[in-house]
């Protein structure tokens, strides 16, 4: 028997659209899923945007006030894709209302914010999934299996990079993303949060770190009206960029491994250059998001001059079989969010967490807070743990 699950989406920018499309597609790829998501309502404060979403995707109703979602008895699960500064308030309110939540990272502006949402989820007994989508790539899951099985030996060090040009244009509008109070720590929350999650997913807990940060474009023009995505505002009144464009970080793991994480939102010439290189005592694995379905693997007993093989992921890796019938048939970014939707809905159906959870967001946020402390002090910082 298949049951319906009323879902709502709060915030209908690009990510709200991605979540909605994932709900629409999820049972095409996972017909065995015992829940059918039903698009009940969309909440968006920008005039007309919710109505456009309803007309295109079939939401039964719209609202400009997200608080109405908490009291709507039709809604059992909520996607929270609003700006970062609203994550804590909305996440806590939805959990306290008994709604399961699928929330985008970084789940607030600090580890305190993420922890408040985690506590509300635990107290309410609802499920909480977090949008750490890159860990869902079949090649990344294959890399984790190689690492945990010992195929590359004991991991010695990792390098993780997240370079993008989405904020590189000097005419980029001074939106909430660049304000400390509403956008938090800038590129730390936007990109480094993903890097920390990949680091933990592949290598385990981070115990301490040393970070350096910088703002390379210190002023931007204020937009004249509502914005979407990374719009421009040439000629507007200039205001200060309050949070980070760049972070570099040395990592120490509980396993004894070492790491380097670097992220930048103003990297001219770089479009979504995300990836990692993990080295061990017997081999290595390499992944580049821009070649998402490939994994570089070096293993054997040669040590010196050991070759690297390109593995094209296929039905035996992660969730690949739900999308393509054979290796080297490409998957894309939106497919990773369909996997995330599947794991969220499975969590709701089975009553146990699947995939990235609110606790993963708390660990990531603790590392981001430690990066900010380290950058201010110029010293190593411990990363607070959480059970």
């Amino acid at each position: 028997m298949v049951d319906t699950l009323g879902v709502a989406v709060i915030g209908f920018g690009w990510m709200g659209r991605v979540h909605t499309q994932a709900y629409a597609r999820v049972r095409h790829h996972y017909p065995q899923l015992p829940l059918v998501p039903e698009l009940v309502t969309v909440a968006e404060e920008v005039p007309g945007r919710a109505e456009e979403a309803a007309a295109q995707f079939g939401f039964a109703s719209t609202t400009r006030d997200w608080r109405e979602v908490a009291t709507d008895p039709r809604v059992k699960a909520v996607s929270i894709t609003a700006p970062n500064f609203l994550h804590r308030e909305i996440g806590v309110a939805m959990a306290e209302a008994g709604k399961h939540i699928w929330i985008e990272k970084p789940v607030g502006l600090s580890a305190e914010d993420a922890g408040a949402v985690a506590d509300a989820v635990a107290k309410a007994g609802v499920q909480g999934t977090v949008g750490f989508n890159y860990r869902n790539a079949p090649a990344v899951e294959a890399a984790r299996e190689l690492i945990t099985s010992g195929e590359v030996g004991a991991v010695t060090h990792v390098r993780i990079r997240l370079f993008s040009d989405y904020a590189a244009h000097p005419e980029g509008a001074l939106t909430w993303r660049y304000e400390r109070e509403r956008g938090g720590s800038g590129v730390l929350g936007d990109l480094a949060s993903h890097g920390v999650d990949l680091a933990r997913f592949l290598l385990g807990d981070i115990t301490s770190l040393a970070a350096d940060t910088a703002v390379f474009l210190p002023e931007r023009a204020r937009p004249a009206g509502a914005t979407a995505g990374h719009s421009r505002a040439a000629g507007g009144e200039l205001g200060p960029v309050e949070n980070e464009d760049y972070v570099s970080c040395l990592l120490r793991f509980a396993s004894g491994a070492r790491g380097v994480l670097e992220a930048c939102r103003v990297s001219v010439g770089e479009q979504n250059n995300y990836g990692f290189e993990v080295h061990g005592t017997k081999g290595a694995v390499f992944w580049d998001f821009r070649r998402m379905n490939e994994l570089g693997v070096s293993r054997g007993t040669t040590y010196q001059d050991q070759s690297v093989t390109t593995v094209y992921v296929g039905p035996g890796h992660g969730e690949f079989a739900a999308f393509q019938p054979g290796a080297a048939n490409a998957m894309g970014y939106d497919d990773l969010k369909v996997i995330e939707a599947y794991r969220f809905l499975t969590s709701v159906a089975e009553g146990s967490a699947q995939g990235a959870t609110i606790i993963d967001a708390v660990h990531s946020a603790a590392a981001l807070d430690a990066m900010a402390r380290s950058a201010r002090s110029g010293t190593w910082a411990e990363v607070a743990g959480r059970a």
Side-chain angles (χ1 to χ4, degrees), residues 278-297:
V278 178
H279 295 269
T281 53
K282 296 194 300 183
V285 292
F286 310 90
W287 182 69
D288 185 330
F289 170 65
R290 297 165 301 177
R291 304 177 72 92
M292 191 180 86
N293 304 289
E294 301 177 16
L295 188 67
V297 180

Side-chain angles (χ1 to χ4, degrees), residues 146-238:
L146 286 170
I147 293 165
T148 58
S149 68
E151 287 288 317
V152 300
V155 173
T156 53
H157 59 101
V158 61
R159 182 173 64 172
I160 298 173
R161 68 188 184 283
L162 300 108
F163 298 145
S164 183
D165 64 356
Y166 68 79
H169 202 291
E171 294 179 0
L174 186 68
T175 65
W176 62 267
R177 290 183 181 277
Y178 303 103
E179 299 174 5
R180 180 73 61 183
E181 185 175 341
R182 298 196 296 166
S185 54
V187 75
L188 277 71
D190 277 357
L191 295 180
S193 58
H194 280 299
V196 170
D197 184 67
L198 283 172
R200 288 188 62 249
F201 184 67
L202 296 170
L203 273 68
D205 285 338
I206 300 166
T207 57
S208 60
L209 53 80
D212 184 33
T213 62
V215 178
F216 296 128
L217 294 177
E219 290 186 320
R220 295 179 182 273
R222 301 185 188 280
T227 61
H230 305 288
S231 56
R232 298 181 188 172
E237 178 189 358
L238 294 179

Side-chain angles (χ1 to χ4, degrees), residues 38-109:
E38 179 184 2
L39 299 177
V40 171
T41 190
V42 55
E44 170 58 63
E45 65 177 11
V46 176
R49 191 179 287 175
E51 289 74 17
E52 290 174 5
Q56 181 175 2
F57 294 101
F59 287 95
S61 60
T62 66
T63 179
R64 291 183 62 182
D65 185 355
W66 62 261
R67 293 166 185 82
E68 293 182 5
V69 176
T71 59
D72 191 333
R74 301 171 299 166
V75 175
K76 306 301 180 185
V78 181
S79 279
I80 301 171
T81 55
N84 299 351
F85 65 94
L86 294 172
H87 285 189
R88 176 175 180 164
E89 183 181 6
I90 297 175
V92 169
M94 295 302 145
E96 289 180 345
K99 319 291 189 186
H100 305 284
I101 63 173
W102 176 12
I103 185 169
E104 279 303 313
K105 56 82 209 167
V107 189
L109 305 181

